Amino acid sequence: MSLREAARTIFDAALRAGDVTPLVRTALEDVRLPPRGRVLVVGAGKASGAMAATVEAALGERIADGLVVVKDGYRADTRCIRIVEAGHPVPDARGEAAAREIRALAESAGADDLLLVLVSGGGSALTPAPVPPITLADKQAMTRLMLAAGANINQLNAVRKHCSLLKGGQLARAAAPARVHALLLSDVVGDPLDVIASGPTAPDVSTFAEALEILDRFELRGRAPATIVDRLERGARGLIPETPKPDDPVFGRVTNTVIGNNRLVVDAAAAQAVALGYGPHLLTRSLEGEARDVAARLVGLARETREGRGPAAAPACLIAGGETTVTVRGRGLGGRCQEFALAAALALEGEAGVVALAAGTDGTDGPTTAAGAVADGETAPRAREHGIDPRVALAENDSNPVFAALGDLVTTGPTNTNLLDLYLLLVEPRRS
């Protein structure tokens, strides 16, 4: 088996570990159903359709009503829980309408009812519920600006929560006095409850002032929609009530349970590496930073490993889990994993015995249909043979066409899970 084949085999094993069906089934064992009241199911996220199908199979007729919002293409077969597709990463009108329905369902719950909430990555963009006079177009523009500036998910969600009727614990507030039990798949480093899908059922530790500081950090206050800037400024001055904080009594009947995270896929990758004869070495479970900078750093570790002075003995599989960011300066097409792979290809040029694979467990990397890409020391020369200058492509954030031309995209289709990204570097020992 070649290094490339081994890398893909390891990634596929990691994906299987993120299958939501057994995770949800196990979690439901700890969910106390109401003896008299209704069970209402709501949710949002790339994996929430698959989660809903599992819940419906387990609870059947106990479910009185339900609505879950998923990204286009991430549908699941359900009967009583409605599945709605909506836009991601930029929210759209379908998501806005679904968010209103979810809020109405939550508000209909009584003290004897249970609101079961199914949350996974992507849920924040899929359920835009802007506070008037903020419009959906304002939120769309804000999302695009922040993504292009390189804001990470924590920063993006801090702003979203303070412009929303659902996020930042406000779904839990809408459901009171009903009991709320949320099952969460984490796509965020460290699994902070208030950041996963912007924490609709979790206390919000961020503030209006912090959201405003984030805009200033990326020099966006002068470019952001005026309605959003005005709300954040008024909130920072104390003129608007804050999102519910940890001491809010609304959380007395709320349970939040993380049922899966990046640890699952990282551990599965390590186990598969061992089975293939590669010594696994975990670099980090919390990888962050600019994709191209992270690629250069990890390639350096791989090169040191091949020379016998790295963090592991070759043959080795260096593993990192997390989520990098991309500051968009060009007008190309790609995502953080493909940009990582293209930067890795340039750093690896002329180097034999090392392969890098970066891919998202959700199956989509940025606004593309690929999960990521694979690269080695021959990637850059092969690109030039196809008439593509890889350095120009990287400068233009145009990684997707490079790997598409080379046949080196990692394509999975919708995976119905979302547990951050996986970064693999397979290293053979240097031949003397």
Side-chain angles (χ1 to χ4, degrees):
M1 182 181 293
S2 69
L3 279 178
R4 283 169 166 264
E5 291 169 335
R8 182 57 191 262
T9 299
I10 292 169
F11 177 68
D12 288 344
L15 273 188
R16 289 193 294 273
D19 181 4
V20 303
T21 300
L23 299 176
V24 172
R25 283 177 180 161
T26 299
L28 286 175
E29 295 174 2
D30 295 324
V31 175
R32 180 170 52 86
L33 300 181
R36 293 182 301 278
R38 301 173 300 160
V39 175
L40 303 174
V41 181
V42 297
K46 297 175 188 175
S48 295
M51 296 170 76
T54 304
V55 167
E56 190 172 278
L59 302 185
E61 295 181 357
R62 283 305 315 268
I63 300 172
D65 199 357
L67 174 65
V68 165
V69 192
V70 300
K71 180 177 178 177
D72 286 310
Y74 283 65
R75 275 191 169 275
D77 291 329
T78 56
R79 296 181 306 280
C80 62
I81 301 174
R82 290 167 289 152
I83 305 290
V84 174
E85 292 176 304
H88 180 281
V90 178
D92 64 14
R94 296 173 296 165
E96 184 179 27
R100 286 197 297 266
E101 289 192 59
I102 286 174
R103 183 177 174 86
L105 266 178
E107 291 176 333
S108 76
D112 292 332
D113 297 334
L114 169 67
L115 183 71
L116 185 61
V117 184
L118 309 177
V119 178
S120 65
S124 187
L126 290 164
T127 52
V131 178
I134 297 171
T135 66
L136 176 60
D138 293 335
K139 293 200 75 172
Q140 290 171 328
M142 189 74 259
T143 299
R144 290 190 182 99
L145 282 172
M146 295 191 70
L147 288 173
N152 63 30
I153 190 65
N154 302 45
Q155 294 162 331
L156 182 61
N157 286 355
V159 173
R160 283 170 166 168
K161 284 185 286 190
H162 287 88
C163 302
S164 173
L165 294 169
L166 281 185
K167 300 171 177 60
Q170 294 178 98
L171 178 61
R173 177 183 278 170
R179 188 162 53 87
V180 176
H181 196 132
L183 306 181
L184 304 102
L185 279 179
S186 173
D187 68 331
V188 185
V189 171
D191 307 333
L193 298 178
D194 63 309
V195 177
I196 302 168
S198 294
T201 58
D204 180 25
V205 299
S206 70
T207 64
F208 278 107
E210 289 168 354
L212 199 58
E213 288 171 4
I214 290 167
L215 293 193
D216 289 339
R217 188 177 311 165
F218 293 102
E219 299 180 347
L220 294 177
R221 195 190 294 213
R223 299 166 57 199
T227 55
I228 291 178
V229 174
D230 178 66
R231 179 173 174 81
L232 297 183
E233 289 177 343
R234 288 190 296 125
R237 295 198 301 269
L239 302 178
I240 298 174
E242 264 290 356
T243 47
K245 304 307 177 191
D247 60 351
D248 195 304
V250 73
F251 297 111
R253 302 196 74 198
V254 175
T255 302
N256 289 292
T257 305
V258 175
I259 66 171
N261 56 20
N262 189 249
R263 178 182 294 272
L264 291 172
V265 296
V266 167
D267 289 350
Q272 185 63 49
V274 170
L276 295 179
Y278 296 89
H281 179 80
L282 176 61
L283 297 173
T284 179
R285 299 183 193 273
S286 55
L287 187 68
E288 294 180 304
E290 190 74 21
R292 63 184 66 189
D293 298 336
V294 173
R297 187 168 73 249
L298 267 57
V299 166
L301 290 173
R303 187 173 284 114
E304 291 174 2
T305 298
R306 192 156 193 257
E307 293 171 352
R309 54 187 181 88
C317 177
L318 308 184
I319 304 171
E323 189 172 286
T324 60
T325 54
V326 172
T327 301
V328 178
R329 298 182 176 88
R331 302 180 67 177
L333 178 66
R336 57 185 177 265
C337 291
Q338 292 164 81
E339 179 139 329
F340 173 98
L342 184 55
L346 289 165
L348 283 169
E349 186 166 3
E351 181 79 41
V354 179
V355 162
L357 183 151
T361 56
D362 59 358
T364 53
D365 182 38
T368 75
T369 58
V374 61
D376 59 22
E378 293 298 315
T379 298
R382 287 172 55 221
R384 295 188 189 98
E385 291 173 2
H386 283 73
I388 301 170
D389 186 330
R391 292 194 181 278
V392 171
L394 184 61
E396 287 295 312
N397 305 112
D398 203 23
S399 53
N400 181 266
V402 179
F403 292 109
L406 300 179
D408 286 342
L409 291 171
V410 175
T411 304
T412 63
T415 62
N416 292 314
T417 192
N418 190 13
L419 301 174
L420 289 172
D421 301 337
L422 189 64
Y423 300 81
L424 306 171
L425 289 98
L426 270 65
V427 186
E428 290 180 337
R430 190 177 297 279
R431 295 184 178 87
S432 55

